[in-house]
Amino acid sequence: MTKKIAVILSGCGVYDGSEIQESVITLLRLDQRGCQVQCFAPDVAQKHVINHLNGEEMPESRNVLVESARIARGEVKDIALANADDFDALIVPGGFGAAKNLSSFASDGAACSVNLQVQALAEAFAEARKPVGLICISPALAAKIYGPGVTCTIGTDAETAQAIEKMGGTHQECEVTEIVEDTARKLVSTPAYMSAKTISEAAAGINKLVDRVIELTQA
Protein backbone atom coordinates (compact mmCIF):
# COMPACT_ATOMS: atom_id res chain seq x y z
CA MET A 1 0.00 0.00 0.00
CA THR A 2 1.27 3.48 -0.88
CA LYS A 3 2.64 5.33 2.13
CA LYS A 4 1.50 8.90 2.68
CA ILE A 5 4.18 11.20 4.05
CA ALA A 6 3.79 14.78 5.29
CA VAL A 7 6.79 17.11 4.85
CA ILE A 8 7.03 20.43 6.71
CA LEU A 9 8.89 23.19 4.88
CA SER A 10 10.01 26.49 6.42
CA GLY A 11 10.58 28.77 3.44
CA CYS A 12 13.14 28.59 0.65
CA GLY A 13 16.87 28.97 1.25
CA VAL A 14 19.34 27.72 3.82
CA TYR A 15 19.78 31.02 5.69
CA ASP A 16 16.14 31.99 6.13
CA GLY A 17 14.04 28.97 5.11
CA SER A 18 14.27 25.29 4.26
CA GLU A 19 17.65 24.04 3.05
CA ILE A 20 16.85 23.50 -0.62
CA GLN A 21 19.17 20.58 -1.29
CA GLU A 22 18.02 18.74 1.84
CA SER A 23 14.40 19.32 0.88
CA VAL A 24 14.86 18.16 -2.71
CA ILE A 25 16.85 15.08 -1.67
CA THR A 26 14.05 14.20 0.77
CA LEU A 27 11.31 14.66 -1.82
CA LEU A 28 13.29 12.74 -4.45
CA ARG A 29 13.92 9.79 -2.15
CA LEU A 30 10.28 9.65 -1.10
CA ASP A 31 9.25 9.62 -4.75
CA GLN A 32 11.80 6.92 -5.58
CA ARG A 33 10.29 4.81 -2.79
CA GLY A 34 6.80 5.25 -4.23
CA CYS A 35 5.41 7.43 -1.45
CA GLN A 36 2.59 9.93 -1.78
CA VAL A 37 3.88 13.24 -0.42
CA GLN A 38 2.16 16.41 0.74
CA CYS A 39 4.20 19.44 1.74
CA PHE A 40 2.97 21.84 4.41
CA ALA A 41 4.23 25.16 5.76
CA PRO A 42 2.93 27.75 8.21
CA ASP A 43 1.22 30.79 6.67
CA VAL A 44 3.34 33.32 8.56
CA ALA A 45 5.92 35.98 7.81
CA GLN A 46 9.56 34.90 7.78
CA LYS A 47 11.66 36.10 10.67
CA HIS A 48 13.76 37.97 8.12
CA VAL A 49 15.01 37.72 4.53
CA ILE A 50 18.66 36.96 3.79
CA ASN A 51 20.54 37.73 0.60
CA HIS A 52 22.05 34.33 -0.12
CA LEU A 53 24.78 35.85 -2.28
CA ASN A 54 26.40 37.95 0.46
CA GLY A 55 24.68 36.75 3.66
CA GLU A 56 23.25 40.17 4.50
CA GLU A 57 19.73 40.82 5.74
CA MET A 58 17.41 42.44 3.19
CA PRO A 59 14.82 45.15 4.00
CA GLU A 60 11.76 43.19 2.86
CA SER A 61 9.19 40.71 4.10
CA ARG A 62 8.33 37.28 2.72
CA ASN A 63 5.75 34.65 3.63
CA VAL A 64 6.88 31.16 4.68
CA LEU A 65 4.07 29.35 2.87
CA VAL A 66 4.58 31.34 -0.34
CA GLU A 67 8.35 30.81 -0.27
CA SER A 68 7.94 27.08 0.46
CA ALA A 69 5.90 26.81 -2.73
CA ARG A 70 9.12 27.48 -4.66
CA ILE A 71 10.55 24.15 -3.49
CA ALA A 72 7.26 22.25 -3.73
CA ARG A 73 6.48 23.58 -7.24
CA GLY A 74 3.30 25.07 -5.83
CA GLU A 75 2.14 21.80 -4.22
CA VAL A 76 2.17 22.99 -0.61
CA LYS A 77 -0.66 23.56 1.83
CA ASP A 78 -1.14 25.68 4.93
CA ILE A 79 -0.10 23.58 7.91
CA ALA A 80 -3.37 24.58 9.57
CA LEU A 81 -5.02 22.12 7.17
CA ALA A 82 -2.76 19.19 8.07
CA ASN A 83 -4.15 16.19 9.95
CA ALA A 84 -1.82 13.49 11.24
CA ASP A 85 -4.60 10.92 10.76
CA ASP A 86 -4.21 11.32 6.99
CA PHE A 87 -0.51 10.35 6.92
CA ASP A 88 1.79 7.50 7.86
CA ALA A 89 4.83 9.59 8.78
CA LEU A 90 6.27 13.10 9.02
CA ILE A 91 9.64 14.48 7.85
CA VAL A 92 11.09 17.94 8.52
CA PRO A 93 14.12 19.06 6.44
CA GLY A 94 16.58 21.50 7.96
CA GLY A 95 17.80 24.95 7.06
CA PHE A 96 17.72 27.98 9.36
CA GLY A 97 13.99 28.31 8.65
CA ALA A 98 13.43 25.43 11.08
CA ALA A 99 15.19 27.47 13.75
CA LYS A 100 13.75 30.86 12.72
CA ASN A 101 10.28 30.28 11.21
CA LEU A 102 9.15 26.96 12.66
CA SER A 103 10.60 27.89 16.04
CA SER A 104 12.62 30.55 17.83
CA PHE A 105 15.62 28.28 18.39
CA ALA A 106 17.99 30.52 16.42
CA SER A 107 17.40 33.43 18.79
CA ASP A 108 16.32 31.75 22.03
CA GLY A 109 18.25 28.49 22.08
CA ALA A 110 17.10 26.12 24.81
CA ALA A 111 14.41 28.62 25.86
CA CYS A 112 12.82 28.49 22.39
CA SER A 113 9.20 28.03 21.50
CA VAL A 114 7.78 26.19 18.49
CA ASN A 115 5.13 27.53 16.11
CA LEU A 116 1.87 26.29 17.66
CA GLN A 117 0.57 24.66 14.48
CA VAL A 118 3.90 22.96 13.82
CA GLN A 119 4.07 21.70 17.38
CA ALA A 120 0.47 20.46 17.35
CA LEU A 121 1.02 18.48 14.15
CA ALA A 122 4.33 17.00 15.27
CA GLU A 123 2.89 16.06 18.65
CA ALA A 124 -0.06 14.37 16.93
CA PHE A 125 2.35 12.13 15.01
CA ALA A 126 4.29 11.43 18.21
CA GLU A 127 1.16 10.58 20.20
CA ALA A 128 -0.05 8.26 17.43
CA ARG A 129 3.38 6.55 17.45
CA LYS A 130 3.85 7.36 13.80
CA PRO A 131 7.44 7.73 12.54
CA VAL A 132 9.02 11.17 12.35
CA GLY A 133 12.25 12.13 10.57
CA LEU A 134 14.14 15.26 11.61
CA ILE A 135 17.01 16.52 9.45
CA CYS A 136 19.94 18.90 10.07
CA ILE A 137 18.96 21.54 12.69
CA SER A 138 15.35 20.38 13.06
CA PRO A 139 16.24 17.70 15.67
CA ALA A 140 16.86 20.63 18.01
CA LEU A 141 13.07 20.71 18.35
CA ALA A 142 12.79 17.04 19.37
CA ALA A 143 12.54 17.69 23.11
CA LYS A 144 9.80 20.25 22.52
CA ILE A 145 7.83 17.59 20.64
CA TYR A 146 8.55 14.44 22.65
CA GLY A 147 9.54 15.76 26.06
CA PRO A 148 12.57 14.87 28.19
CA GLY A 149 14.62 11.81 27.36
CA VAL A 150 14.21 11.82 23.60
CA THR A 151 17.35 10.79 21.69
CA CYS A 152 18.40 12.61 18.52
CA THR A 153 21.42 13.95 16.64
CA ILE A 154 22.57 17.10 14.91
CA GLY A 155 25.98 15.54 14.27
CA THR A 156 28.88 16.89 16.31
CA ASP A 157 28.12 20.59 16.85
CA ALA A 158 28.82 21.04 20.57
CA GLU A 159 26.81 24.23 21.11
CA THR A 160 23.62 22.88 19.52
CA ALA A 161 24.05 19.55 21.28
CA GLN A 162 24.35 21.37 24.60
CA ALA A 163 21.09 23.23 23.93
CA ILE A 164 19.35 19.94 23.14
CA GLU A 165 20.59 18.48 26.43
CA LYS A 166 19.46 21.60 28.30
CA MET A 167 15.94 21.13 26.88
CA GLY A 168 15.91 17.59 28.24
CA GLY A 169 16.92 15.70 25.13
CA THR A 170 19.73 13.19 24.81
CA HIS A 171 22.16 14.06 22.03
CA GLN A 172 24.05 11.28 20.28
CA GLU A 173 26.99 12.20 18.06
CA CYS A 174 26.66 10.88 14.53
CA GLU A 175 28.60 10.81 11.28
CA VAL A 176 27.05 12.82 8.46
CA THR A 177 26.29 9.70 6.43
CA GLU A 178 24.48 7.93 9.28
CA ILE A 179 21.24 8.19 11.27
CA VAL A 180 20.27 8.02 14.92
CA GLU A 181 17.03 6.32 15.91
CA ASP A 182 15.04 6.66 19.11
CA THR A 183 13.36 3.29 18.81
CA ALA A 184 10.85 3.87 21.59
CA ARG A 185 9.54 7.00 19.88
CA LYS A 186 10.06 6.03 16.22
CA LEU A 187 12.11 9.19 15.74
CA VAL A 188 14.93 9.20 13.19
CA SER A 189 17.45 12.04 12.77
CA THR A 190 20.51 12.77 10.64
CA PRO A 191 23.02 15.67 10.57
CA ALA A 192 22.91 16.52 6.83
CA TYR A 193 24.32 20.03 6.35
CA MET A 194 25.05 20.46 10.05
CA SER A 195 28.11 18.39 9.09
CA ALA A 196 28.03 17.73 5.34
CA LYS A 197 30.70 19.20 3.09
CA THR A 198 29.07 17.98 -0.13
CA ILE A 199 25.59 17.25 -1.42
CA SER A 200 26.55 13.57 -1.69
CA GLU A 201 27.36 13.43 2.03
CA ALA A 202 24.05 15.05 2.89
CA ALA A 203 22.18 12.68 0.58
CA ALA A 204 23.75 9.58 2.12
CA GLY A 205 22.28 10.32 5.54
CA ILE A 206 18.98 11.70 4.27
CA ASN A 207 18.36 8.66 2.07
CA LYS A 208 18.98 6.38 5.06
CA LEU A 209 16.60 8.48 7.14
CA VAL A 210 13.83 8.36 4.54
CA ASP A 211 14.28 4.61 4.06
CA ARG A 212 14.14 3.98 7.80
CA VAL A 213 11.08 6.20 8.29
CA ILE A 214 9.28 4.21 5.58
CA GLU A 215 10.34 0.93 7.22
CA LEU A 216 8.97 2.13 10.55
CA THR A 217 5.56 2.78 9.02
CA GLN A 218 5.30 -0.96 8.61
CA ALA A 219 6.44 -1.82 12.12
Side-chain angles (χ1 to χ4, degrees), residues 55-157:
E56 296 178 358
E57 186 172 349
M58 300 173 66
E60 60 182 82
S61 177
R62 296 188 185 182
N63 178 278
V64 174
L65 178 60
V66 172
E67 290 299 294
S68 297
R70 293 176 180 272
I71 295 176
R73 294 175 60 85
E75 295 298 323
V76 61
K77 295 182 179 180
D78 186 342
I79 198 168
L81 303 176
N83 187 333
D85 294 339
D86 297 333
F87 298 93
D88 298 295
L90 171 69
I91 297 178
V92 187
F96 278 106
K100 294 178 178 179
N101 302 327
L102 302 186
S103 73
S104 64
F105 183 78
S107 56
D108 298 332
C112 71
S113 60
V114 180
N115 172 282
L116 294 179
Q117 293 173 333
V118 172
Q119 178 139 1
L121 182 63
E123 286 180 345
F125 276 91
E127 290 168 5
R129 291 190 51 75
K130 292 183 177 182
V132 173
L134 299 178
I135 298 168
C136 190
I137 191 64
S138 65
L141 308 182
K144 296 292 184 180
I145 298 167
Y146 290 92
V150 63
T151 299
C152 62
T153 190
I154 46 78
T156 59
D157 183 79

Side-chain angles (χ1 to χ4, degrees), residues 35-46:
C35 296
Q36 180 179 330
V37 179
Q38 178 60 60
C39 293
F40 294 96
D43 186 7
V44 296
Q46 289 184 188

Side-chain angles (χ1 to χ4, degrees), residues 195-219:
S195 302
K197 298 296 188 290
T198 67
I199 189 171
S200 295
E201 286 185 351
I206 292 171
N207 287 342
K208 287 180 182 178
L209 177 143
V210 171
D211 290 348
R212 183 56 182 155
V213 166
I214 294 171
E215 289 174 1
L216 287 171
T217 66
Q218 302 164 348

